[in-house]
Amino acid sequence: MKGFLQQLFDYNFYCNKQLMDQFGQMDKLPKKSVKLFSHVLSAHHIWNHRILEKVPEFEVWQKHDAKEWYDIHYDNQRTSFEIITNSEDFGRRIDYTTTEGRAYSNELKDILFHIINHATHHRGQILMDMRSSKIEPIPMDYIFYKR
């Protein structure tokens, strides 16, 4: 489990970095893409903090300046890798409260997978937004990464 989760977070790191690098070459970023990518970063941060039982510093839809993206992204990834590296029981339950105030409990492995799946979902939306803005995005399919 540990090795597989590390691979998934490597993939997530790679894709987000590719996207940030492509955005860095653009004069003007599509607004919807900025909103969605900021959300990806904030949500990852929030989930890490739930796992660690800490109060998050970001709101779920908080907009981040593109200049801050790399630092937030690296911090998110470092924290997730520490969680994975230091975890012995990926079946342990994590109790948390959603941004709407509802209490839930899920297994650590499911939350970690959710972070990856959530980012992939929104990156897909970002790629569609880029295409609608006449920008050809870099392919980010998992199999391309593994090749």
Side-chain angles (χ1 to χ4, degrees), residues 116-142:
I116 302 301
N117 195 52
H118 179 260
T120 301
H121 168 74
H122 286 304
R123 278 194 305 267
Q125 292 177 315
I126 291 167
L127 300 185
M128 291 299 296
D129 184 46
M130 290 172 73
R131 283 190 182 102
S132 71
S133 299
K134 308 290 188 246
I135 302 162
E136 187 57 34
I138 298 167
M140 293 187 199
D141 293 59
Y142 183 70

Side-chain angles (χ1 to χ4, degrees), residues 96-125:
Y96 62 93
T97 304
T98 65
T99 55
E100 294 85 25
R102 298 175 82 179
Y104 289 97
S105 179
N106 290 99
E107 291 183 8
L108 174 59
K109 69 181 186 312
D110 295 327
I111 291 172
L112 291 169
F113 182 75
H114 171 73
I115 292 169
I116 302 301
N117 195 52
H118 179 260
T120 301
H121 168 74
H122 286 304
R123 278 194 305 267
Q125 292 177 315

Side-chain angles (χ1 to χ4, degrees), residues 24-92:
Q25 297 172 4
M26 298 165 59
D27 294 328
K28 184 173 171 140
L29 305 179
K31 283 185 179 183
K32 184 176 179 182
S33 292
V34 169
K35 178 181 179 181
L36 288 167
F37 194 70
S38 288
H39 171 66
V40 166
L41 295 174
S42 290
H44 189 161
H45 168 88
I46 291 167
W47 280 111
N48 280 342
H49 279 66
R50 287 174 178 164
I51 293 167
L52 297 171
E53 299 178 351
K54 294 182 178 179
V55 177
E57 299 167 29
F58 302 140
E59 300 288 326
V60 71
W61 285 102
Q62 182 174 335
K63 183 181 172 193
H64 302 286
D65 188 298
K67 293 174 186 147
E68 301 171 334
W69 287 355
Y70 283 97
D71 289 339
I72 297 168
H73 175 58
Y74 286 119
D75 185 59
N76 283 342
Q77 290 298 117
R78 183 178 53 253
T79 302
S80 290
F81 272 111
E82 287 172 5
I83 290 167
I84 293 166
T85 300
N86 296 327
S87 293
E88 296 300 323
D89 181 9
F90 291 98
R92 80 176 162 96

